[in-house]
Amino acid sequence: MIGCYDFCGHYEWTFEWLRQQGGHELVRAYWDEAIHQDSQSHAVELIVGKGIEGMKEYWGPTLADEGAVYERTVTEDVFRIDMHECPSKGFLIRNGLHQYTDYCDHCMGWIGPLMEKAGFVIDHEHNHCGQCWWEMRRKNDASPSSAPGVLSGRSDVRLRPGWKSPQTDHYERATDPDDKTTV
């Protein structure tokens, strides 16, 4: 049995192997089927069943157990996570592991379909350095994502020095999970 951190390296290698076998579509299918529909079915049950309360129940213990350095901001309408140190991407960076072109995308690869099923949309951005932010709102809420610092104050990861880099990818709301520019 491998340790939880060693898992991250194998996980990333699997994404690249799948991409080589069947392209990005196969990787996205893996994220949806193996993660969203299988290993994280407990998250699906909580979030589909309880909405924002289910998000609190799922991400609070999960991110704490993983050793994430993050802040969450919750209102009646929005659930926001500011990830300052992602433990799995941090493991890859510290160990010089880089197999798959966008390891960070796997979170939205399984969370996107889950949120759609639960009736939520996600605004998300990550910088490939172990930092990201997510804002989840009900589908019928057309509000744009918050400006840096407005919703989560000083905890907003976008206020970090060096947040933006040439490597930064931005993902905004969409209903087409195959669209490379959106999730």
Side-chain angles (χ1 to χ4, degrees), residues 25 28 113 116 172-183:
E25 295 307 313
R28 291 193 74 77
E116 186 171 336
E172 294 182 357
R173 299 178 188 188
T175 56
D176 181 3
D178 296 324
D179 183 343
K180 292 282 289 177
T181 61
T182 57
V183 170

Side-chain angles (χ1 to χ4, degrees), residues 28-142:
R28 291 193 74 77
Y30 175 79
W31 293 337
D32 184 32
E33 294 170 23
I35 306 173
H36 162 231
Q37 296 177 38
D38 186 18
S39 73
Q40 297 302 310
S41 59
H42 59 291
V44 174
E45 184 177 315
L46 279 172
I47 296 167
V48 169
K50 297 181 177 182
I52 290 176
E53 285 302 315
M55 292 178 210
K56 288 195 265 186
E57 287 181 42
Y58 175 72
W59 274 299
T62 299
L63 293 175
D65 288 349
E66 290 177 357
V69 177
Y70 75 100
E71 296 289 334
R72 77 176 191 193
T73 304
V74 183
T75 70
E76 188 175 305
D77 300 317
V78 179
F79 186 91
R80 180 181 170 96
I81 293 175
D82 285 279
M83 180 67 67
H84 290 268
E85 293 179 31
C86 173
S88 63
K89 182 62 178 178
F91 173 86
L92 298 175
I93 292 169
R94 282 189 309 279
N95 290 284
L97 301 174
H98 182 77
Q99 298 296 316
Y100 186 70
T101 185
D102 191 355
Y103 177 82
C104 299
D105 196 31
H106 84 274
C107 286
M108 291 302 113
W110 74 269
I111 296 167
L114 183 160
M115 288 297 140
E116 186 171 336
K117 183 185 295 181
F120 287 83
V121 293
I122 306 172
D123 289 314
H124 166 79
E125 187 176 16
H126 61 266
N127 68 0
H128 300 282
C129 298
Q131 293 127 18
C132 64
W133 62 269
W134 319 341
E135 284 185 14
M136 289 153 287
R137 291 179 173 73
R138 288 172 185 79
K139 278 185 183 179
N140 61 357
D141 182 345

